[in-house]
């Protein structure tokens, strides 16, 4: 989904020649959501600058049964990488990436994985390491790191299936974690899940 028509049509034609892969549409950003709703693709490729690209990914991820999204021509700047990651993309193809790299990324995310270069992985790991680990539930037992991660996705409105795709884990595993989260937070349904930052000295 790019604003440059000849780019998206040329890329669609090239990718459509890959065995076992079908390109359903190549559209401008302003009609992307309608195309996603109509075609129900497995993967959406987004080629837009920051912040328009991440905003479009968020909108796509908010649709029913959303596709996995791959960001194309991503800048190597850390803030750009983080913005794309926070939007919910499943794959990154850098500005100097190859067509073969794009094909590999599509294959990986279609199978439920996440595709990114060592550079992107290093940036995201640094971000995780430097963010404060002060988020805990305010009632009940403390959540594990994985449960806390899933609880935040529940807060954002993701379904169990979407969480499984986002974290690359099995759906039954997500269901088990959700059951544990509801018990620990002492709530009877997922719409009541709320995790907030614990202030210093609060127990």
């Amino acid at each position: 989904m790019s604003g440059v028509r000849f780019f998206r049509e040329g890329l669609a034609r090239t990718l459509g020649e890959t065995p076992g892969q079908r390109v359903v549409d190549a559209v401008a950003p302003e009609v992307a959501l309608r195309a996603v709703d109509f075609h129900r693709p497995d993967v959406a490729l987004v080629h837009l600058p920051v912040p328009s690209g991440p905003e479009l990914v968020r909108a796509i991820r908010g649709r029913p049964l959303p596709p996995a999204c791959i960001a194309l021509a991503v800048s190597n700047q850390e803030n750009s990488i983080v913005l794309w990651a926070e939007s919910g993309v499943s794959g990154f193809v850098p500005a100097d990436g190859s067509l073969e790299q794009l094909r590999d990324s599509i294959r990986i995310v279609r199978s439920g994985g996440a595709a990114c270069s060592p550079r992107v992985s290093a940036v995201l790991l640094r971000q995780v390491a430097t963010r404060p680990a002060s988020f805990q539930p305010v009632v009940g037992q403390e959540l594990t790191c994985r449960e806390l991660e899933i609880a935040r996705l529940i807060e954002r409105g993701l379904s169990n299936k979407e969480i499984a795709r986002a974290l690359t884990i099995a759906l039954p595993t997500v269901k088990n974690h959700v059951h544990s989260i509801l018990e620990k937070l002492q709530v009877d349904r997922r719409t009541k899940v709320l995790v907030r930052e614990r202030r210093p000295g609060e127990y």
Side-chain angles (χ1 to χ4, degrees), residues 1-41:
M1 295 162 185
S2 164
V4 184
R5 182 176 177 178
F6 70 81
F7 170 83
R8 64 176 182 267
E9 290 183 352
L11 184 59
R13 182 185 295 254
T14 301
L15 293 176
E17 296 172 353
T18 301
Q21 185 169 277
R22 183 169 68 94
V23 177
V24 295
D25 213 340
V27 300
E30 56 268 21
V31 296
L33 297 182
R34 292 201 299 272
V36 166
D37 290 340
F38 181 78
H39 294 291
R40 302 285 189 184

Side-chain angles (χ1 to χ4, degrees), residues 143-160 162-164 166-167 169-182 185 190 193 195:
L143 303 185
T144 65
C145 292
R146 176 62 89 182
E147 288 170 348
L148 185 56
E149 188 175 24
I150 292 174
R152 285 172 173 151
L153 295 178
I154 292 174
E155 286 185 277
R156 289 169 49 189
L158 271 68
S159 67
N160 287 351
E162 291 168 340
I163 292 172
L167 300 180
I169 57 178
L171 182 58
T173 302
V174 174
K175 291 179 179 179
N176 289 338
H177 282 308
V178 171
H179 178 73
S180 176
I181 290 167
L182 297 182
L185 295 182
R190 61 193 295 133
V193 171
V195 181

